[in-house]
């Protein structure tokens, strides 16, 4: 017997709206003929993914998503577009002549993934109380995952130094 | 909520990202498609973390976000260098190492 309270009506309606926006935005990112528009559609997708994190009770990751991705990464992309004077306009071809290879790869991939997920996870329900406190996340980072965390710090430093070395003029 | 609704959304975003990587010829747009793929993976990590009731999924999603930031920095530097040397960032024309 399925009770109405078990269906999470509000969350599911919200999820449906977010998912529709995210998928539409993602399709526009890979099909739009304007590079700046692609960056702006990417904002919609990233915000949708962040909202999904909130739905799943991962508040800290949701906020980090907004700060790092929408705040920094998209701005970096726009810098990249401006600095490379990427053609801003509709008449430039941004897609390969053999774009159909992408379709041939992506559609079977989606089919296989969908089959595997439905076969393995069926209609497994998520637990009701899924909100995980930020304190638990930070405790986990600074105890169990301390060494990977330090490695990430080193990686970010190396990447930033590498980016400066690559991009600076001789 | 069903676990699969998040996993399937992740699968759709992942496939769209794979299409973008293969079909786009502009370097910046390829990097954007890679971001789509990484976000799809993050949805999966968080969803499985919630499913199992652990915070490990969130920790790994944070690591993925950090690595993605580093990747975009280096990637855009490479694209910038490409532009400086060739005056365009058309990936189809970066075939000078082809035998």
């Amino acid at each position: 017997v399925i009770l109405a309270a078990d269906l999470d009506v509000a969350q599911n309606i919200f999820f449906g709206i977010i998912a529709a926006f995210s998928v539409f935005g993602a399709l526009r990112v890979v099909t739009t003929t304007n590079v700046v528009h692609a960056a702006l559609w990417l904002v919609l997708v990233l915000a949708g993914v962040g909202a999904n994190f909130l739905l799943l009770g991962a508040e800290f990751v949701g906020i980090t998503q907004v700060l790092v991705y929408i705040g920094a990464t998209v701005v970096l992309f726009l810098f990249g577009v401006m600095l490379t004077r990427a053609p801003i306009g509709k008449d430039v071809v941004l897609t390969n002549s053999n774009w159909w290879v992408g379709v041939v790869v992506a559609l079977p991939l989606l089919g296989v993934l969908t089959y595997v997920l439905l076969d393995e996870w069926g209609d497994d329900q998520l637990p009701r109380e899924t909100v995980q406190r930020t304190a638990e996340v930070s405790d986990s980072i600074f105890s169990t995952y301390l060494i990977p965390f330090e490695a990430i710090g080193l990686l970010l430093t190396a990447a930033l130094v590498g980016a400066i070395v690559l991009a600076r003029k001789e | 909520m069903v676990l699969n609704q998040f996993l399937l959304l992740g699968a759709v975003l992942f496939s769209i990202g794979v299409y973008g990587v293969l079909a786009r010829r502009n370097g910046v747009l390829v990097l954007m498609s890679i971001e789509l793929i990484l976000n799809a993976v993050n949805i999966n990590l968080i969803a499985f973390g919630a499913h199992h009731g652990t915070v490990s999924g969130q920790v790994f999603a944070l690591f993925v976000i950090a690595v993605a930031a580093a990747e975009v920095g280096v990637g855009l530097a490479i694209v910038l260098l490409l532009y400086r040397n060739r005056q365009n960032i058309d990936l189809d024309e970066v075939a000078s190492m082809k035998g």
Side-chain angles (χ1 to χ4, degrees):
Chain A
V1 179
I2 299 172
L3 298 173
D6 292 335
L7 288 177
D8 297 326
V9 178
Q11 285 97 321
N12 278 321
I13 291 172
F14 197 49
F15 173 82
I17 296 169
I18 296 168
F21 271 102
S22 300
V23 172
F24 179 71
L27 284 173
R28 294 297 292 157
V29 170
V30 297
T31 54
T32 184
T33 51
N34 186 319
V35 189
V36 178
H37 288 183
L40 298 179
W41 282 113
L42 189 66
V43 171
L44 183 68
V45 183
L46 298 173
V49 173
N52 269 316
F53 293 164
L54 291 182
L55 262 186
L56 285 163
E59 305 157 329
F60 184 66
V61 187
I63 292 167
T64 309
Q65 171 91 0
V66 174
L67 284 177
V68 174
Y69 265 116
I70 301 176
T73 304
V74 171
V75 174
L76 210 58
F77 272 128
L78 288 174
F79 264 108
V81 171
M82 305 298 172
L83 285 173
T84 55
R85 284 189 220 116
I88 301 169
K90 286 206 169 216
D91 49 355
V92 189
V93 184
L94 294 171
T95 306
N96 273 327
S97 52
N98 50 357
W99 57 272
W100 54 269
V101 176
V103 178
V104 171
V105 174
L107 277 183
L109 179 68
L110 179 61
V112 171
L113 281 175
T114 307
Y115 171 75
V116 170
L117 290 176
L118 290 177
D119 188 50
E120 179 63 32
W121 304 103
D123 48 1
D124 282 15
Q125 293 285 324
L126 285 169
R128 301 283 301 176
E129 295 289 329
T130 56
V131 177
Q132 287 153 329
R133 288 169 53 242
T134 304
E136 291 173 36
V137 179
S138 62
D139 280 348
S140 184
I141 288 178
F142 289 108
S143 58
T144 319
Y145 297 105
L146 183 61
I147 292 174
F149 176 74
E150 297 292 342
I152 290 278
L154 205 62
L155 175 78
L156 272 175
T157 314
L160 289 182
V161 173
I164 291 170
V165 169
L166 278 178
R168 89 193 164 111
K169 291 203 165 73
E170 292 302 319
Chain B
M1 290 182 286
V2 185
L3 171 64
N4 246 333
Q5 66 195 54
F6 293 99
L7 302 185
L8 288 175
L9 176 64
V12 171
L13 289 182
F14 189 91
S15 303
I16 294 173
V18 168
Y19 167 77
V21 170
L22 292 173
R24 290 301 210 175
R25 60 193 290 181
N26 182 298
V28 178
L29 286 171
V30 170
L31 285 176
M32 285 185 200
S33 304
I34 294 175
E35 294 306 308
L36 284 182
I37 293 178
L38 291 172
N39 269 278
V41 173
N42 271 350
I43 293 180
N44 276 24
L45 285 172
I46 302 268
F48 279 119
H51 186 58
H52 293 293
T54 65
V55 292
S56 300
Q58 291 189 42
V59 175
F60 274 98
L62 288 170
F63 286 167
V64 170
I65 290 176
V67 173
E71 172 253 322
V72 170
V74 176
L76 280 177
I78 292 172
V79 169
L80 213 61
L81 206 61
L82 212 60
Y83 174 77
R84 201 173 290 153
N85 286 327
R86 298 169 168 268
Q87 275 66 51
N88 70 48
I89 50 171
D90 193 334
L91 294 181
D92 283 356
E93 293 178 18
V94 194
S96 44
M97 286 178 77
K98 192 169 162 187

